[in-house]
Amino acid sequence: MTATEINTETDGGAGEEGGSAGGVTVVGSLSPSRAGDFMTCPLLYRFRVIDRIPERPSAAQVRGTLVHAVLERLFDMPAAARTPAAALELLGPEWERLLAEEPELATLFDDEEAGDGAGVEGAREEWLAEARAMVERYFALEDPRRLEPASRELYVETVLESGLQLRGYIDRLDVAPTGEVRVVDYKTGRAPRADFEARALFQMKFYALVLWRLHGTVPRLLQLMYLGNGEILRYAPDEADLRATERKVEALWKAIRRAMDSGEWRERTSRLCDWCDHKQRCPSFGGVLPPLPSAGAGSAAEGEPLGPERDDL
């Protein structure tokens, strides 16, 4: 696989449910984020995909978006200029760009308070300091002056024989002169414990499956870079891994369709519930479910992706 071949797959595709790709009718669409939602809690999937209830982004999520943007812009620079100081100088302009695109982010810290009780301004400065620390930590993990990524924020999609469309955004693809591919994802959280590594790798195996089905070549390495604590999780997949991932994705889709047909979206409680925007609606916490949207108002097939998805938390 070459860098040129990868870059030709950045857009286009089968589109909405009922379309076709290569003679296969598209029955639905799934991304790593939405698959993760369903595995975490089917009711969360319903709130996000079927009801499409807006969620207020958290400070941690926005910080993840900011750090990702800085690292993407870093590779726009000539190799020799990719220094820690240059990356840190990008933080301010990228934050201003995000504010211009989403003015509501200006209220992000209204309900926050810094650890020293310094109020909104203190919370903002503490947040930016954490972002700076993550950018600096990146340079302890690799030297970007020695890299020339084949693609960044790469949108990929493929349609399986069943008609299920898989799609998502890959942070970075590196292609060696020999054609070997490394899939890289930045995480602004902390590396998971060993017993949670399989769940963390699911997203990367999902991307590897898409690339394998597109190009017929299994990526050589999957690499998760955790900027929250400066650790790297690496995994070398093989065809057996990706076939197992495909079976898992297909099984997830069948479970989603069953929930669609029955109208039953069961909640699954965990410690993540404390950070869920929909906790007040959840029956497990005394909430009352809103009525399901009428036919056509929501779809398990998902809408078109609006931008890179973040799975940092």
Side-chain angles (χ1 to χ4, degrees):
M1 192 188 308
T2 67
T4 301
E5 288 172 334
I6 290 174
N7 280 310
T8 60
E9 299 291 348
T10 58
D11 50 39
E16 298 289 348
E17 181 177 0
S20 64
V24 178
T25 299
V26 177
V27 299
S29 180
L30 200 59
S31 69
S33 295
R34 300 294 77 83
D37 287 345
F38 191 83
M39 288 189 292
T40 298
C41 175
L43 185 57
L44 174 63
Y45 180 98
R46 178 201 144 167
F47 286 145
R48 286 180 168 170
V49 179
I50 308 303
D51 299 287
R52 302 193 181 188
I53 298 173
E55 297 178 1
R56 184 185 180 190
S58 70
Q61 288 169 333
V62 177
R63 184 173 54 232
T65 300
L66 174 60
V67 172
H68 276 77
V70 167
L71 296 181
E72 184 184 2
R73 295 284 83 77
L74 181 67
F75 283 100
D76 288 337
M77 297 179 175
R82 298 171 195 158
T83 64
L88 291 173
E89 287 179 4
L90 291 170
L91 272 170
E94 285 303 309
W95 174 231
E96 292 302 320
R97 180 184 62 80
L98 288 176
L99 283 174
E101 292 176 356
E102 301 181 58
E104 64 273 15
L105 294 180
T107 64
L108 187 65
F109 306 99
D110 287 357
D111 298 326
E112 302 284 340
E113 185 171 303
D116 59 3
V120 172
E121 189 61 34
R124 183 185 296 109
E125 289 305 311
E126 188 175 287
W127 179 84
L128 283 170
E130 290 169 352
R132 284 193 291 272
M134 290 175 183
V135 171
E136 291 173 332
R137 205 169 285 131
Y138 163 75
F139 285 86
L141 299 177
E142 67 180 8
D143 185 351
R145 295 173 298 180
R146 302 176 62 185
L147 297 169
E148 287 299 339
S151 299
R152 290 170 282 135
E153 295 290 1
L154 175 67
Y155 175 67
V156 291
E157 67 174 40
T158 193
V159 178
L160 304 179
E161 290 183 1
S162 66
L164 177 61
Q165 182 188 61
L166 306 183
R167 63 190 183 186
Y169 282 87
I170 297 174
D171 283 348
R172 197 180 89 205
L173 276 185
D174 300 333
V175 181
T178 55
E180 294 179 318
V181 173
R182 176 172 63 179
V183 183
V184 179
D185 195 73
Y186 308 119
K187 297 292 186 187
T188 50
R190 301 177 66 84
R193 301 197 309 268
D195 49 341
F196 286 96
E197 285 184 358
R199 186 177 180 87
L201 283 169
F202 170 76
Q203 173 192 4
M204 302 299 280
K205 291 182 180 181
F206 187 108
Y207 292 141
L209 170 61
V210 175
L211 292 170
W212 180 42
R213 290 306 186 198
L214 280 172
H215 303 290
T217 303
V218 176
R220 175 67 181 84
L221 188 68
L222 310 178
Q223 180 169 298
L224 282 160
M225 304 182 73
Y226 287 92
L227 306 181
N229 61 344
E231 294 185 19
I232 296 179
L233 176 59
R234 296 184 177 93
Y235 185 81
D238 57 26
E239 289 192 8
D241 279 324
L242 301 190
R243 288 194 179 95
T245 300
E246 185 169 345
R247 290 193 295 271
K248 181 173 184 175
V249 168
E250 295 278 19
L252 277 171
W253 182 250
K254 288 178 181 177
I256 290 169
R257 294 305 308 192
R258 285 196 297 270
M260 274 290 292
D261 293 339
S262 67
E264 295 183 9
W265 300 89
R266 299 183 183 277
E267 65 270 27
R268 183 178 297 132
T269 58
S270 72
R271 61 191 182 92
L272 296 177
C273 295
D274 290 336
W275 292 275
C276 182
D277 271 15
H278 308 287
K279 187 175 181 179
Q280 76 277 13
R281 302 182 183 90
C282 180
S284 289
F285 298 94
V288 177
L289 289 175
L292 281 163
S294 58
S299 170
E302 302 186 303
E304 284 299 307
L306 299 178
E309 295 174 333
R310 295 287 168 241
D311 301 279
D312 297 314
L313 301 182

